[in-house]
Coordinates of all heavy atoms in Angstrom, one line a residue:
F13 N -10.6 2.6 -29.0 CA -9.9 3.8 -29.2 C -8.4 3.6 -29.6 O -7.9 2.8 -28.8 CB -10.0 4.8 -28.1 CG -11.5 5.3 -27.9 CD1 -12.3 4.7 -27.0 CD2 -11.9 6.4 -28.6 CE1 -13.6 5.2 -26.8 CE2 -13.2 6.9 -28.5 CZ -14.0 6.2 -27.6
F14 N -7.9 4.3 -30.5 CA -6.5 4.1 -30.9 C -5.8 5.4 -30.8 O -6.4 6.5 -30.9 CB -6.4 3.6 -32.4 CG -6.9 2.2 -32.6 CD1 -8.3 2.1 -32.8 CD2 -6.1 1.2 -32.5 CE1 -8.8 0.8 -33.0 CE2 -6.6 -0.1 -32.7 CZ -8.0 -0.3 -32.9
S15 N -4.5 5.4 -30.4 CA -3.7 6.6 -30.2 C -3.5 7.3 -31.5 O -3.4 8.5 -31.5 CB -2.4 6.2 -29.5 OG -1.7 5.3 -30.3
Q21 N -4.5 1.0 -38.2 CA -4.1 0.4 -39.5 C -3.5 -0.9 -39.2 O -3.8 -2.0 -39.7 CB -3.2 1.3 -40.3 CG -2.6 0.7 -41.5 CD -1.6 1.5 -42.2 OE1 -1.0 2.4 -41.6 NE2 -1.4 1.3 -43.4
T22 N -2.5 -1.0 -38.2 CA -1.8 -2.2 -37.8 C -2.8 -3.2 -37.3 O -2.7 -4.4 -37.7 CB -0.8 -1.9 -36.7 OG1 0.2 -0.9 -37.4 CG2 0.0 -3.1 -36.3
E26 N -3.6 -6.9 -39.1 CA -3.4 -8.2 -38.3 C -4.6 -9.0 -38.2 O -4.5 -10.2 -38.5 CB -2.9 -7.8 -36.9 CG -1.5 -7.3 -36.9 CD -1.0 -6.9 -35.5 OE1 -1.8 -7.0 -34.5 OE2 0.2 -6.5 -35.4
L28 N -7.2 -9.1 -40.4 CA -7.5 -9.6 -41.7 C -6.5 -10.7 -42.0 O -6.9 -11.7 -42.6 CB -7.4 -8.5 -42.7 CG -8.6 -7.5 -42.7 CD1 -8.4 -6.5 -43.8 CD2 -9.9 -8.2 -43.0
A36 N -1.5 -5.1 -47.2 CA -0.4 -4.3 -46.7 C -0.4 -3.0 -47.4 O -0.9 -2.8 -48.5 CB 0.9 -5.1 -47.1
P37 N 0.3 -2.0 -46.7 CA 0.4 -0.7 -47.4 C 1.4 -0.9 -48.6 O 2.4 -1.7 -48.4 CB 1.1 0.2 -46.3 CG 1.1 -0.6 -45.0 CD 0.8 -2.0 -45.4
M51 N -5.0 -5.0 -51.6 CA -4.8 -6.4 -51.9 C -4.6 -6.4 -53.5 O -5.2 -5.6 -54.2 CB -6.0 -7.2 -51.6 CG -6.3 -7.3 -50.1 SD -7.8 -8.1 -49.7 CE -7.4 -9.9 -49.8
R52 N -3.7 -7.3 -53.9 CA -3.3 -7.3 -55.3 C -3.4 -8.7 -55.9 O -3.1 -9.6 -55.2 CB -1.9 -6.7 -55.5 CG -1.8 -5.2 -55.2 CD -0.4 -4.7 -55.2 NE -0.5 -3.3 -54.8 CZ -0.2 -2.3 -55.7 NH1 0.2 -2.6 -56.9 NH2 -0.4 -1.0 -55.3
L59 N -8.4 -4.3 -54.3 CA -9.0 -3.6 -53.1 C -8.0 -2.6 -52.6 O -6.9 -3.0 -52.4 CB -9.4 -4.7 -52.1 CG -10.2 -4.1 -50.9 CD1 -11.3 -5.1 -50.5 CD2 -9.3 -3.8 -49.8
I60 N -8.5 -1.4 -52.3 CA -7.7 -0.4 -51.7 C -8.5 0.0 -50.4 O -9.6 0.3 -50.5 CB -7.5 0.8 -52.6 CG1 -6.7 0.5 -53.8 CG2 -6.8 2.0 -51.9 CD1 -6.6 1.6 -54.9
E62 N -8.7 2.7 -47.2 CA -8.3 4.0 -46.6 C -8.8 4.0 -45.2 O -10.0 3.8 -44.9 CB -8.9 5.1 -47.4 CG -8.2 5.4 -48.8 CD -6.8 5.8 -48.5 OE1 -6.5 6.6 -47.7 OE2 -5.9 5.3 -49.3
G71 N -5.9 16.7 -44.9 CA -5.4 16.3 -46.2 C -6.6 15.9 -47.2 O -7.6 16.5 -47.1
H85 N -1.7 4.1 -60.2 CA -1.2 2.8 -60.4 C -1.4 2.4 -61.9 O -0.5 1.8 -62.5 CB -1.9 1.8 -59.5 CG -1.5 0.4 -59.8 ND1 -0.2 -0.1 -59.4 CD2 -2.0 -0.6 -60.5 CE1 -0.1 -1.4 -59.9 NE2 -1.2 -1.6 -60.5
P110 N -17.1 1.5 -35.4 CA -17.1 0.6 -36.6 C -17.9 1.2 -37.8 O -19.0 0.8 -38.0 CB -17.8 -0.6 -36.0 CG -18.7 -0.1 -35.0 CD -18.1 1.1 -34.4
M112 N -17.7 1.3 -41.7 CA -17.0 0.8 -42.9 C -17.9 1.0 -44.1 O -19.0 0.7 -44.1 CB -16.7 -0.7 -42.8 CG -15.6 -1.1 -41.8 SD -15.2 -2.7 -41.9 CE -15.6 -3.4 -40.3
L113 N -17.3 1.6 -45.2 CA -18.0 1.9 -46.4 C -17.2 1.3 -47.6 O -16.0 1.2 -47.6 CB -18.1 3.5 -46.6 CG -18.6 4.3 -45.4 CD1 -18.4 5.7 -45.7 CD2 -20.1 4.0 -45.3
F114 N -18.0 0.8 -48.5 CA -17.4 0.2 -49.7 C -17.8 1.0 -51.0 O -18.9 1.6 -51.0 CB -17.8 -1.2 -49.9 CG -17.3 -2.1 -48.9 CD1 -18.0 -2.4 -47.7 CD2 -16.1 -2.7 -49.1 CE1 -17.5 -3.2 -46.8 CE2 -15.6 -3.6 -48.1 CZ -16.3 -3.8 -47.0

Side-chain angles (χ1 to χ4, degrees):
F13 290 97
F14 293 86
S15 58
Q21 176 186 21
T22 300
E26 288 175 359
L28 289 176
M51 295 175 80
R52 293 174 179 246
L59 185 139
I60 296 175
E62 284 298 315
H85 175 78
M112 289 189 244
L113 306 168
F114 290 92

